[in-house]
Amino acid sequence: MTTTDHELRERIERVETAESGDTDLLTLAVPPDRSLGAVREEIEEDHAEAEYLDADHASHADRDALERARRVLLEYDALPENGLVVYAGDVGGETVSHVFDDLPHPVAEWTYEFDADPLDGATMPESTDGLVVVERGAAVLGRLVGDDLTVEERLESQVMGKTRAGGQSAARFERERERQKEAFFGEVADEAKRAFLGDDPVDRLLVGGTTVTADAFLEGDYLDYRLEERIEGGTFPVEYASEQGLRQLVDRAEEELLDPEQRAARDAVDEFYTALKEDGETVVYGRDVTEEALEFGAVETMLLADSLSVEDVTELEEAAAEEGGETVVVSTDFEGGQRFAEAFGGVGALLRFPIE
């Protein structure tokens, strides 16, 4: 996570925790493909109508929110690349607005209403992963949205075991086993198409199972081509075709799903713990000691937990940059990052050389 990402998340959290007084709040979310002129026209019409409403508190507040949104829109000649979100209204007796024009993902839906959930679905939508664990004896399909895992379907296989019945030739027995395996794989693929395409398609597909079986399933062209295009990371070794197996698949695929910045941050945390365990001379933690290392020019890589304030992150990052050091912002959504925040104050560094 970069400092910019951290700052954006904190801004969103401030909006989501804002408390209104006696009035509603306005959320305006504009997708990048919507006409800016049409949006302005709609706001202008509603603002003009609000001018004629009875002058009670609610009407004043609604009018002020519309006026604030109207002013924001006038600042743009064109919509930002990923659209625009404006949040305006009465907070603690003051008309405020929060503007998001630097979103990392396109705004998904047009939203223009009072008393809406701020930025709901408009800023950083979570990806949806389809999960398939397949073995000769069984298969299970699941769906992962953020940290929420649900089981979609369980399938039992009719593939015979390796011990053949008496009087049956080995070749005939193997042909029958192969036919049953192919029929089962086809059934799994059909269920995957039903579960993961359609009205709520998945963004990615993860496949796991016993290595030989999972590889055979993918190499046999059983899956719909649209799902094949969404496969991430090949296959992952998973022991159970069950909900436990789905969770094991998520754990095994975790590294594959990290973007380069996330992976770099986790690598830095691993290096931090390794250095701490081995000798502790090339690593420091705690703000005071870390700032002292900065003064010596000893900081190679600064580690900062995303639980810190934007101001603290920015200040420390700038101090590290002045001394030629790098900074990684460590997410607290995994065990190592959470431990770093709680046990080490969320501030630490890998050093170029030990300091006294």
Side-chain angles (χ1 to χ4, degrees), residues 26-95:
L26 171 67
T27 295
L28 177 66
V30 188
D33 58 355
R34 199 170 185 89
S35 166
L36 179 59
V39 174
R40 283 176 176 160
E41 183 177 347
E42 187 166 353
I43 296 292
E44 292 282 359
E45 289 177 357
D46 289 349
H47 180 264
E49 182 178 346
E51 293 281 344
Y52 293 96
L53 294 177
D54 292 338
D56 58 19
H57 175 74
S59 297
H60 276 302
D62 291 355
R63 183 190 62 197
D64 291 345
L66 287 164
E67 172 64 21
R68 186 61 65 93
R70 173 175 169 271
R71 291 181 182 177
V72 169
L73 292 174
L74 288 173
E75 296 175 2
Y76 294 87
D77 296 325
L79 284 173
E81 181 181 359
N82 286 329
L84 179 70
V85 175
V86 180
Y87 178 83
D90 182 290
V91 176
E94 178 184 0
T95 302

Side-chain angles (χ1 to χ4, degrees), residues 66-353:
L66 287 164
E67 172 64 21
R68 186 61 65 93
R70 173 175 169 271
R71 291 181 182 177
V72 169
L73 292 174
L74 288 173
E75 296 175 2
Y76 294 87
D77 296 325
L79 284 173
E81 181 181 359
N82 286 329
L84 179 70
V85 175
V86 180
Y87 178 83
D90 182 290
V91 176
E94 178 184 0
T95 302
V96 300
S97 60
H98 298 272
V99 180
F100 297 83
D101 57 7
D102 54 352
L103 301 168
H105 303 280
V107 174
E109 297 180 0
W110 160 250
T111 303
Y112 171 41
E113 57 184 314
F114 285 93
D115 201 24
D117 290 333
L119 305 170
D120 184 25
T123 53
M124 294 180 288
E126 294 174 304
S127 62
T128 299
D129 295 319
L131 311 173
V132 177
V133 174
V134 58
E135 300 180 285
R136 281 186 180 270
V140 60
L141 281 65
R143 179 181 288 261
L144 180 71
V145 182
D147 294 327
D148 185 20
L149 187 152
T150 57
V151 177
E152 293 283 329
E153 187 67 52
R154 290 185 178 89
L155 301 170
E156 295 296 328
S157 167
Q158 301 301 316
V159 180
M160 296 183 294
K162 293 185 178 181
T163 303
R164 61 189 175 92
Q168 190 176 26
S169 71
R172 180 181 178 186
F173 177 75
E174 285 303 320
R175 286 197 301 270
E176 181 60 18
R177 288 186 77 236
E178 186 66 19
R179 185 195 67 78
Q180 291 176 347
K181 183 198 74 173
E182 291 180 357
F184 179 59
F185 283 174
E187 183 182 359
V188 173
D190 288 343
E191 286 299 324
K193 179 179 179 180
R194 178 197 61 77
F196 302 140
L197 297 175
D199 294 337
D200 188 17
V202 299
D203 301 301
R204 301 177 296 197
L205 184 68
L206 306 179
V207 179
T210 52
T211 302
V212 173
T213 303
D215 286 347
F217 175 67
L218 285 193
E219 294 168 2
D221 294 328
Y222 297 97
L223 284 169
D224 185 286
Y225 74 94
R226 291 167 291 180
L227 290 177
E228 287 185 342
E229 293 172 349
R230 302 174 200 192
I231 293 173
E232 289 282 346
T235 61
F236 299 90
V238 176
E239 299 171 8
Y240 312 102
S242 62
E243 181 174 351
Q244 179 183 357
L246 292 175
R247 297 193 181 281
Q248 190 177 56
L249 172 58
V250 173
D251 290 340
R252 296 278 168 84
E254 183 177 40
E255 286 298 317
E256 189 71 33
L257 301 181
L258 296 176
D259 63 36
E261 289 180 354
Q262 291 172 316
R263 187 171 289 108
R266 295 202 182 193
D267 288 345
V269 171
D270 290 342
E271 189 176 349
F272 173 87
Y273 288 135
T274 299
L276 193 65
K277 182 178 180 180
E278 288 181 349
D279 55 27
E281 294 184 358
T282 57
V283 63
V284 293
Y285 56 87
R287 180 154 185 167
D288 291 344
V289 180
T290 302
E291 288 183 333
E292 182 180 356
L294 282 170
E295 293 176 1
F296 282 102
V299 172
E300 180 73 29
T301 303
M302 173 95 68
L303 285 74
L304 303 174
D306 65 2
S307 54
L308 298 172
S309 70
V310 171
E311 291 76 14
D312 285 342
V313 170
T314 302
E315 179 183 346
L316 289 167
E317 181 184 39
E318 290 176 352
E322 288 177 0
E323 300 298 332
E326 297 181 350
T327 298
V328 295
V329 180
V330 178
S331 172
T332 54
D333 64 1
F334 72 106
E335 184 178 352
Q338 186 174 3
R339 178 187 168 202
F340 175 72
E342 294 176 351
F344 302 97
V347 179
L350 298 165
L351 304 180
R352 297 188 179 97
F353 50 83

